[in-house]
Amino acid sequence: MVEIKDFKASDCNALWNINRNAFRKSLKKESYEEFKNITENSIGKVIFLENEIIGAIFLKSQSEVGTFKVEKFFICPKYQNRGLGYFILTHLPEEDTSIKKIELDIDESSLKAKKFCEKMKKEI
């Protein structure tokens, strides 16, 4: 069962490792400090599957009330291509009623991420 919980600072190291694995083929390499900065300056939601952390989404509040932009979104590679990304983005407003609209920028650094973003822009 997939659960979405609020990010806690104690989740940071586990999420850093998942993030690195999820984007290991990406052209853009990110330092731990850059990653930590995003986690500290965004609203974070951690994704659990059967009590195991498998990913996270970090959102930044926009000027329009209830609108959030995705700053970072990643899922452990072994759980990718199972519809979890779609599930998270479409169900997040049900989990957190302060979220009314989610904005997603297309990630050009990874073909896989680019395809996912293009598909999801039509859905959310």
Side-chain angles (χ1 to χ4, degrees), residues 28-111:
K28 182 184 176 214
K29 298 297 178 195
E30 178 178 59
S31 73
Y32 180 77
E33 290 306 316
E34 290 170 316
F35 177 79
K36 192 173 176 191
N37 186 47
I38 290 171
T39 67
E40 292 172 347
N41 295 297
S42 305
I43 296 168
K45 303 291 182 179
V46 181
I47 306 159
F48 288 81
L49 182 63
E50 298 175 8
N51 297 317
E52 175 188 355
I53 295 177
I54 64 163
I57 186 167
F58 292 91
L59 306 163
K60 183 80 107 185
S61 180
Q62 301 299 293
S63 58
E64 185 180 331
V65 175
T67 299
F68 293 84
K69 179 181 173 190
V70 175
E71 292 291 302
K72 181 161 280 300
F73 183 34
F74 55 91
I75 294 175
C76 179
K78 78 178 190 177
Y79 295 109
Q80 291 176 4
N81 299 312
R82 296 183 184 192
L84 292 170
Y86 174 85
F87 176 82
I88 297 305
L89 287 174
T90 56
H91 286 82
L92 200 53
E94 294 171 16
E95 296 286 331
D96 186 333
T97 57
S98 69
I99 300 171
K100 306 294 182 218
K101 181 180 175 186
I102 298 173
E103 295 178 348
L104 184 64
D105 284 337
I106 294 176
D107 182 350
E108 299 287 340
S109 65
S110 163
L111 182 59

Side-chain angles (χ1 to χ4, degrees), residues 19-34:
N19 176 66
R20 284 192 349 209
N21 287 330
F23 292 105
R24 68 179 173 265
K25 294 180 183 174
S26 175
L27 299 176
K28 182 184 176 214
K29 298 297 178 195
E30 178 178 59
S31 73
Y32 180 77
E33 290 306 316
E34 290 170 316

